Amino acid sequence: MLSRPAAAAINHLLRDADWARAQLVPFAGSTILFEVPPLAVAFRVENDGRLVAAAAQTEPAAVVRLTGPALIRLIWLRDDSARQEVSVTGDTALASALTGILSAVHWDMEEDLSQVFGDVVAHRLTHAGEALFAWHANAASNLARSLTEYWTEEQPLIASRTAVCDFVQAVDALRDDTERLEKRIERLSSGLVPRAGT
């Protein structure tokens, strides 16, 4: 159901990216399934490198599984560390080619908006959206930093890094002291240590 509009959106991104479609041509006829729970979309690669919705019950050559947040980090935030959260089974070359292309192409939102609203309004909308997104990212970062500071300093629900290091060092020192004491007790009990005055 979602495969058709998703394929149209991806093809829209690829319309001026001949290099991207050329990378997909060797996989013509192959089907790839993207699972982003609870959604799943399946695409078939056409001879010209474009994507179409795969027919129902088609066995995919590759399956890519990832979470919604990982998808957002990969596509919109360009966060390569999100690749660690992607699970691929089947034809890894196909999956790697398509996910690499999707993370490399960029949606020219301002160009698309200008065709509807005109250049000036599109420019202002795009910059307003970017500013709002940057504000959200900055606010989230500040909130996380403030909560971390609150929970480690003012209401210590979480131990600070220094406190954890101090605790680990104290445990190591206690372990070493305990081992030395055990060895001394063993020597005393086996009579290896001469008694005072002998």
Side-chain angles (χ1 to χ4, degrees), residues 28-48:
S30 298
T31 299
I32 184 166
L33 173 66
F34 282 89
E35 291 183 345
V36 184
L39 306 174
V41 291
F43 308 114
R44 188 181 77 247
V45 180
E46 294 286 90
N47 292 331
D48 62 356

Side-chain angles (χ1 to χ4, degrees), residues 2-166:
L2 291 173
S3 297
R4 188 168 286 114
I10 293 171
N11 288 331
H12 180 72
L13 291 175
L14 300 180
R15 73 182 184 269
D16 297 324
D18 296 336
W19 62 270
R21 292 194 310 276
Q23 287 185 17
L24 292 176
V25 167
F27 303 104
S30 298
T31 299
I32 184 166
L33 173 66
F34 282 89
E35 291 183 345
V36 184
L39 306 174
V41 291
F43 308 114
R44 188 181 77 247
V45 180
E46 294 286 90
N47 292 331
D48 62 356
R50 295 185 190 278
L51 301 177
V52 295
Q57 308 303 323
T58 303
E59 186 68 29
V63 178
V64 178
R65 292 180 182 90
L66 67 163
T67 63
L71 178 66
I72 291 169
R73 286 170 48 211
L74 266 176
I75 303 295
W76 282 282
L77 302 180
R78 311 271 186 217
D79 182 0
D80 282 338
S81 67
R83 288 181 184 272
Q84 298 171 356
E85 300 175 37
V86 178
S87 165
V88 177
T89 55
D91 187 347
T92 55
L94 169 60
S96 179
L98 189 53
T99 55
I101 287 168
L102 290 177
S103 59
V105 295
H106 179 68
W107 176 32
D108 190 354
M109 182 171 50
E110 189 170 336
E111 175 63 28
D112 287 345
L113 288 173
S114 70
Q115 294 176 8
V116 178
F117 300 108
D119 290 342
V120 175
V121 174
H123 181 74
R124 289 185 179 167
L125 285 172
T126 301
H127 283 285
E130 289 171 353
L132 181 63
F133 185 79
W135 178 81
H136 275 290
N138 193 25
S141 175
N142 288 340
L143 177 63
R145 197 170 26 255
S146 296
L147 288 175
T148 301
E149 184 178 321
Y150 178 77
W151 285 333
T152 56
E153 303 298 331
E154 295 181 31
Q155 290 290 328
L157 297 174
I158 301 173
S160 68
R161 183 181 302 236
T162 306
V164 171
C165 289
D166 290 346

